[in-house]
Amino acid sequence: MSSDTRFDPASADARWQNAWEKAQTFRADSDSPKPKSYVLEMFPYPSGRIHIGHVRNYTMGDVLARYKKATGHEVLHPMGWDAFGMPAENAAMEKGVHPGGWTRDNIEHMKAQLKRLGFALDWNRELATCEPDYYGHEQALFIDLYEAGLVYRKESEVNWDPVDMTVLANEQVIDGKGWRSGAEVEKRKLNQWFLKITDFAEELLEGLGSLENWPDKVRLMQENWIGKSKGLEFSFDLSNGEKLPVYTTRPDTIFGASFVAVAADHPVAQAIDSEEAREFIALCKRGGTTAAELETAEKLGFDTGITAKHPFTGADLPVYIANFVLMDYGTGAIMAVPGHDQRDFEFATKYGLPIPRVVAPSVEEAGKSFDGEAEAGEGVIVNSDFLDGMSVEDAKREVIRRTEEHGRGTGKTVWRLRDWGVSRQRYWGTPIPFIHCDACGVVPAPKDSLPITLPEDVDFQTPGNPLVRHETWKHVDCPKCGGRAERETDTLDTFVDSSWYFLRFASQPADRPFDAEEVAKWLPVEQYIGGIEHAILHLLYARFWTRALAHMGQIEVKEPFASLFTQGMVTHETYRVFIPDDEGQTIAPRSYYVSPEEVERRDGKVFEKSSGLPVEIGRVIKMSKSKKNVVDPDTIIDSYGADAVRWFMLSDSPPERDLPWSEAGIEGCSRFVHRLWRLFAAHDAGAQGEDKALDRKTHQTVAAVADDIEALGFNKAVARIYELTGTVEKAAPSASRSAAIRTLVQLVAPMMPHLAEEAWAGMGMDGLVADAPWPEVDPALLIEDEVTIAIQHKGKLRDTLTAPKGAAKEDLEAMALASEKVQRSIDGAEIRKVIVVPDRLVNIVT
RNA sequence: GCGGGUGUGGCGGAAUGGUAGACGCCGGGGACUUAAAAUCCCCUGAGCUUUGCUCGUGUGGGUUCGAGUCCCACCACCCGCACCA
């Protein structure tokens, strides 16, 4: 290799990608005796093209996977496709293509894009969830779950998206609108398939405690989502002779109850036979569910005229229908304690109901009045008969005990988590493997009939599910009685597909979903990397499936992902052109966004190329098509090569934060690629002589980069590599310098693998740098023999000096006092104290 | 409203309680060149009475010999959840 040859990514990238493929460098061997490391990034939906967010995500995983390989691990780093879902059907409707063809074309294209980036992936294990050899096994697992009692059907009110014509999970309803279509969600009653995730609520909550390497933020979000609360369920005797069960988390405040409230949907409310009641209920239902509406919503109530007998005092409490009581939480009815619940307080204030105090800061303050709001905090129980003087916690226990003793109710744990509705009235998903028979009811499809494949001949010109309209597909004989029966036409929520794919990556037998022994070798995933948007849905469902399979004895592992990392987005500034006023006609300025390629810079200002109009540079925000601030990975790889793009993805921003894309930034990265290349070309295997300081720097950098990669602090690793590069460039030729250059090749290999292979080969090294072990660190070289000591006077820096490492305190003090600058600062003042931190600083206090 | 996070140069960001601003980008100056590109070198927080000094990590307090870092109060922005009894 000679110094006048420029590094040419256009040829080098593909050459090394082929070399890795030919050598099967990244094939994961389950039988390897090496320690295993499973590195996984959330697999992509094949939307058509890789976007820059994928590039960042997979680059991070790739650096870790390559580093793990170098440090002696057998690495499993697979890739696949989360290939079912609505966009394929939308494309079918809009373009008249088949969802399968559209999806497979996309996969092919995106796979080629990923290959251009040189990721260290084991493509032998590639899978797509839309293929029968994946979803057939999913059907088998679904039947297993059914047999384990974790699948059931129920008639239920569902969130119906009128645009996508499908059911949405609660998690897919955002502010009352469909998460994809944005349409106002309607309520409909349908027979639906459910997974009993609530059976695992306690486990899923407790399991969070063991996930130390998950971000606290995600654990907290899941905790809130599961939403455990402990309390008391008991019944009021109503004046109409019925019993009304209510749920409360504050049984200690029971003597403060001044009214009872039920939800509008509650049977007690529904049974009120009056025009006014019906009108009020209708009013409650009309209320919006958006954040803004709820925040400002006034507490409204309707007095039913019914009264409820207080279980301890025997007082008659009025029963209201209230708009703030939810039917689907607890029992849909509450005992209202206005003194100690803000909502109840507002309601009582509005309707002139009593607001008794039953918790006070001290017994003496039992008569204290309220200051315009409820007091929900700690204190001592007052005005509460046998509870007086107790702490909140003691009173809770006592009330639960007495209520249970009287047989009026029980202590109860209530969860916010609901069972997971998995039915979708869609074609492009896993067919639910069940058969409806008039005689036998719902019967699971026999396992030997799996996979139940989707019919190819379907049309999408009519809204709704084509499986329902299909002429022949759904007709089948009942596996039990042999009579005429019909297939289930619902398909599974695509979140089911992504709830177990990590198991299939680990082991892919043809005749069953996975092999337990193989799974045990690889799982749990050592490092899972993906977007924060999956903090609840995907990650909770995957945890649930893993636990359910463990519960059924199919696998041992209980938590699928040992470490989770949620990476930030790639952002970019926006370019906006304001259309000039048309002779003062325009009132509001009209504007449109233009893409980065459509603008040019002149004299420090920015203009649209085509029109010459000035462009306003906007906020740095997430890339999106509508804001036209997207950057296409293919284009930038063409311009700069894979290594520069990968390097950019790792530089500057900490990986959990957003990364602002910039043209200047990628150019800087590209410059560095070529700068390294020149340095590598200057490698002289025959150079003689030792450079101790350089050796130290090299070894320190190796150790630091290793630490940084293991902590996923890629931006810091990058900075260290820049630093070492600068040092090596300035160093005089020596054996140490040549060694440092070889080491540098290895340090950048996980990040810029193509450049590294090219340099490695150019230096005449054996084999691939991808197979080379991580450079060894000599611990003796990590320690400096000289240190810089800061000298402070009254805490302010006055001078620095160089001292041998480990110098005695007295010597450092003497050296500090000998400093002219320090003496000038002290200016003859009396020295009261001298603080010496060995190898660090001397602080003189006067 | 509840919960969580983040505030450091023109920008992205470094900094086990111990020299704030590593490293990168932008910008300025210079070298090389007929010229440009590429490359290399130097400068680059602010201010001042410039051998040096003062100020400076959102604001105000506190602890400490010493605070970006710890404690208290506040402000701003971002994210999640949301009438969950």
Side-chain angles (χ1 to χ4, degrees):
Chain A
M1 121 188 179
S2 71
S3 57
D4 51 46
T5 336
R6 259 175 87 80
F7 175 67
D8 178 23
S11 72
D13 286 4
R15 194 162 64 248
W16 293 108
Q17 285 154 20
N18 291 335
W20 297 323
E21 184 157 344
K22 199 174 156 204
Q24 288 289 295
T25 307
F26 306 117
R27 182 175 203 130
D29 176 8
S30 303
D31 298 324
S32 165
K34 294 183 199 170
K36 305 280 191 296
S37 175
Y38 187 174
V39 177
L40 184 67
E41 300 96 54
M42 292 178 186
F43 66 163
Y45 176 77
S47 58
R49 301 186 70 78
I50 292 293
H51 61 73
I52 200 88
H54 292 127
V55 178
R56 191 179 189 200
N57 191 177
Y58 306 145
T59 301
M60 289 180 194
D62 204 57
V63 171
L64 189 65
R66 285 173 179 270
Y67 169 79
K68 284 284 174 189
K69 181 172 164 64
T71 51
H73 296 83
E74 185 66 25
V75 175
L76 172 56
H77 187 218
M79 182 54 69
W81 310 95
D82 187 15
F84 273 136
M86 285 188 303
E89 286 189 51
N90 293 339
M93 283 184 269
E94 286 160 22
K95 297 171 193 158
V97 294
H98 191 276
W102 182 84
T103 302
R104 290 179 191 107
D105 285 351
N106 288 347
I107 287 173
E108 196 186 342
H109 183 82
M110 291 169 77
K111 185 175 174 180
Q113 287 187 296
L114 289 183
K115 289 205 162 184
R116 292 191 66 192
L117 284 153
F119 293 135
L121 292 163
D122 182 357
W123 286 104
N124 300 295
R125 297 179 186 239
E126 180 185 7
L127 59 82
T129 59
C130 65
E131 302 301 346
D133 64 7
Y134 182 84
Y135 70 71
H137 298 302
E138 184 167 307
Q139 290 167 336
L141 289 173
F142 191 77
I143 292 168
D144 291 343
L145 288 168
Y146 174 79
E147 279 160 3
L150 294 172
V151 173
Y152 66 100
R153 263 163 79 74
K154 75 173 177 196
E155 166 93 358
S156 68
E157 198 165 71
V158 295
N159 304 305
W160 179 260
D161 187 317
V163 170
D164 284 329
M165 304 250 313
T166 190
V167 168
L168 301 173
N170 285 334
E171 293 88 329
Q172 293 166 336
V173 180
I174 294 145
D175 291 343
K177 297 192 170 73
W179 73 313
R180 225 178 256 265
S181 72
E184 202 75 38
V185 169
E186 296 169 6
K187 296 282 178 196
R188 278 207 188 177
K189 288 231 171 191
L190 283 178
N191 236 326
Q192 300 284 306
W193 291 92
F194 283 85
L195 286 180
K196 263 196 185 165
I197 189 170
T198 53
D199 272 14
F200 291 80
E202 188 79 64
E203 264 195 57
L204 288 167
L205 182 66
E206 271 179 25
L208 290 173
S210 71
L211 299 174
E212 288 156 26
N213 294 316
W214 279 40
D216 289 343
K217 182 189 171 84
V218 174
R219 289 198 289 180
L220 207 78
M221 282 164 76
Q222 293 214 350
E223 190 182 316
N224 291 338
W225 190 263
I226 295 167
K228 180 180 188 174
S229 69
K230 286 188 201 161
L232 169 69
E233 186 175 313
F234 69 97
S235 290
F236 281 107
D237 290 329
L238 298 185
S239 56
N240 64 7
E242 290 176 24
K243 280 189 183 296
L244 176 66
V246 298
Y247 174 74
T248 179
T249 54
R250 293 293 305 271
D252 54 303
T253 63
I254 194 162
F255 284 90
S258 65
F259 65 100
V260 169
V262 300
D265 299 328
H266 196 281
V268 167
Q270 298 285 328
I272 308 291
D273 188 22
S274 89
E275 192 54 39
E276 287 157 301
R278 278 188 290 273
E279 270 175 28
F280 181 77
I281 289 166
L283 178 75
C284 290
K285 289 199 159 185
R286 259 206 309 280
T289 49
T290 66
E293 281 170 309
L294 285 177
E295 204 160 326
T296 54
E298 199 182 349
K299 302 285 176 287
L300 296 175
F302 179 86
D303 190 345
T304 59
I306 302 170
T307 58
K309 192 166 283 295
H310 192 287
F312 292 109
T313 68
D316 287 323
L317 307 177
V319 176
Y320 281 82
I321 304 169
N323 65 341
F324 67 92
V325 179
L326 306 174
M327 190 57 219
D328 59 359
Y329 184 81
T331 62
I334 61 164
M335 73 167 196
V337 184
H340 307 284
D341 180 287
Q342 185 57 26
R343 291 154 304 174
D344 299 350
F345 187 94
E346 288 169 31
F347 189 93
T349 306
K350 179 168 167 116
Y351 292 101
L353 296 158
I355 306 179
R357 171 182 289 278
V358 288
V359 182
S362 66
V363 178
E364 290 72 36
E365 291 165 279
K368 194 181 167 213
S369 62
F370 289 98
D371 185 21
E373 57 180 19
E375 290 177 20
E378 286 294 298
V380 56
I381 306 295
V382 294
N383 307 322
S384 296
D385 194 359
F386 57 86
L387 298 176
D388 283 354
M390 285 189 190
S391 70
V392 166
E393 284 312 308
D394 287 345
K396 278 182 182 171
R397 268 193 293 278
E398 180 60 13
V399 171
I400 292 171
R401 192 186 67 77
R402 289 210 187 202
T403 313
E404 286 179 345
E405 197 174 272
H406 298 153
R408 305 188 65 97
T410 50
K412 198 176 170 185
T413 301
V414 167
W415 305 85
R416 207 190 85 113
L417 186 70
R418 295 292 124 80
D419 275 338
W420 175 17
V422 292
S423 284
R424 294 293 180 273
Q425 290 66 46
R426 282 274 155 186
Y427 165 78
W428 194 232
T430 301
I432 296 178
F434 278 84
I435 291 157
H436 299 275
C437 170
D438 285 341
C440 311
V442 175
V443 184
K447 284 234 176 140
D448 59 15
S449 73
L450 303 181
I452 295 162
T453 54
L454 290 166
E456 288 291 314
D457 53 330
V458 283
D459 93 276
F460 290 92
Q461 298 320 304
T462 325
N465 182 358
L467 294 178
V468 177
R469 302 189 302 267
H470 197 275
E471 293 293 321
T472 54
W473 182 79
K474 63 180 178 179
H475 302 298
V476 68
D477 292 340
C478 172
K480 250 189 193 167
C481 68
R484 243 179 108 72
E486 282 193 0
R487 284 196 192 286
E488 171 65 58
T489 56
D490 284 356
T491 53
L492 289 171
D493 181 2
T494 57
F495 277 111
V496 175
D497 308 335
S498 53
S499 290
W500 70 284
Y501 77 107
F502 41 88
L503 300 173
R504 184 75 189 164
F505 271 145
S507 126
Q508 306 182 316
D511 59 339
R512 62 221 137 100
F514 47 78
D515 180 275
E517 272 182 42
E518 293 276 297
V519 165
K521 286 180 186 173
W522 292 109
L523 270 281
V525 172
E526 184 176 350
Q527 183 67 60
Y528 197 35
I529 309 177
I532 186 74
E533 67 273 21
H534 292 112
I536 299 172
L537 310 185
H538 162 58
L539 289 167
L540 189 63
Y541 294 151
R543 293 183 60 221
F544 160 58
W545 268 68
T546 305
R547 281 181 182 270
L549 293 172
H551 172 76
M552 296 187 296
Q554 296 200 10
I555 53 174
E556 293 282 325
V557 67
K558 285 206 164 81
E559 287 290 343
F561 313 120
S563 292
L564 172 72
F565 188 84
T566 54
Q567 102 269 9
M569 295 180 300
V570 182
T571 57
H572 192 11
E573 56 192 8
T574 53
Y575 306 97
R576 198 170 185 182
V577 178
F578 285 90
I579 301 165
D581 279 8
D582 193 17
E583 292 172 39
Q585 293 283 316
T586 316
I587 301 155
R590 288 175 301 149
S591 68
Y592 56 92
Y593 288 97
V594 292
S595 68
E597 297 87 59
E598 291 171 298
V599 301
E600 59 184 349
R601 282 158 211 268
R602 273 185 274 131
D603 315 325
K605 286 180 182 164
V606 185
F607 300 92
E608 186 186 16
K609 279 181 194 165
S610 59
S611 67
L613 289 170
V615 169
E616 186 190 274
I617 297 184
R619 223 156 57 85
V620 175
I621 54 169
K622 182 184 182 178
M623 290 189 183
S624 81
K625 277 183 189 162
S626 65
K627 298 287 188 295
K628 288 211 180 173
N629 62 339
V630 287
V631 173
D632 177 47
D634 273 346
T635 315
I636 56 176
I637 297 169
D638 286 344
S639 308
Y640 304 102
D643 289 336
V645 174
R646 294 170 58 114
W647 189 251
F648 184 96
M649 292 296 131
L650 302 165
S651 303
D652 294 348
S653 288
E656 68 278 10
R657 287 207 217 161
D658 290 351
L659 171 68
W661 172 264
S662 79
E663 201 69 20
I666 183 68
E667 273 168 16
C669 292
S670 177
R671 268 203 301 277
F672 185 60
V673 170
H674 294 293
R675 183 175 152 204
L676 273 180
W677 177 250
R678 286 190 300 275
L679 179 61
F680 293 161
H683 172 257
D684 174 7
Q688 296 292 311
E690 189 189 45
D691 183 340
K692 197 81 180 174
L694 181 60
D695 286 343
R696 255 195 208 100
K697 181 77 182 170
T698 305
H699 283 250
Q700 285 167 356
T701 304
V702 171
V705 167
D707 287 348
D708 288 338
I709 291 177
E710 282 184 34
L712 306 183
F714 303 113
N715 58 321
K716 291 190 229 172
V718 161
R720 307 253 188 211
I721 289 170
Y722 271 116
E723 225 174 309
L724 180 60
T725 302
T727 306
V728 174
E729 281 172 337
K730 287 183 184 71
S734 66
S736 297
R737 184 173 189 258
S738 298
I741 292 175
R742 275 195 304 279
T743 301
L744 204 45
V745 173
Q746 291 182 270
L747 288 183
V748 300
M751 300 149 179
M752 305 189 202
H754 311 90
L755 174 76
E757 293 291 2
E758 192 86 349
W760 194 248
M763 287 173 188
M765 303 298 289
D766 286 337
L768 295 163
V769 72
D771 286 322
W774 189 251
E776 296 245 0
V777 173
D778 177 356
L781 288 171
L782 297 181
I783 303 158
E784 293 283 359
D785 56 0
E786 275 191 338
V787 287
T788 305
I789 307 287
I791 308 170
Q792 298 180 338
H793 173 219
K794 292 195 285 191
K796 286 193 193 301
L797 183 75
R798 295 296 149 177
D799 200 2
T800 59
L801 59 85
T802 307
K805 172 131 182 135
K809 281 190 170 192
E810 302 77 52
D811 296 344
L812 290 174
E813 183 174 335
M815 285 164 85
L817 289 169
S819 158
E820 201 184 309
K821 288 176 183 174
V822 171
Q823 282 302 332
R824 205 182 316 134
S825 178
I826 294 171
D827 195 24
E830 186 199 349
I831 296 171
R832 298 213 315 262
K833 200 171 174 186
V834 178
I835 288 129
V836 181
V837 182
D839 298 333
R840 277 275 183 197
L841 64 65
V842 179
N843 188 13
I844 298 154
V845 187
T846 56

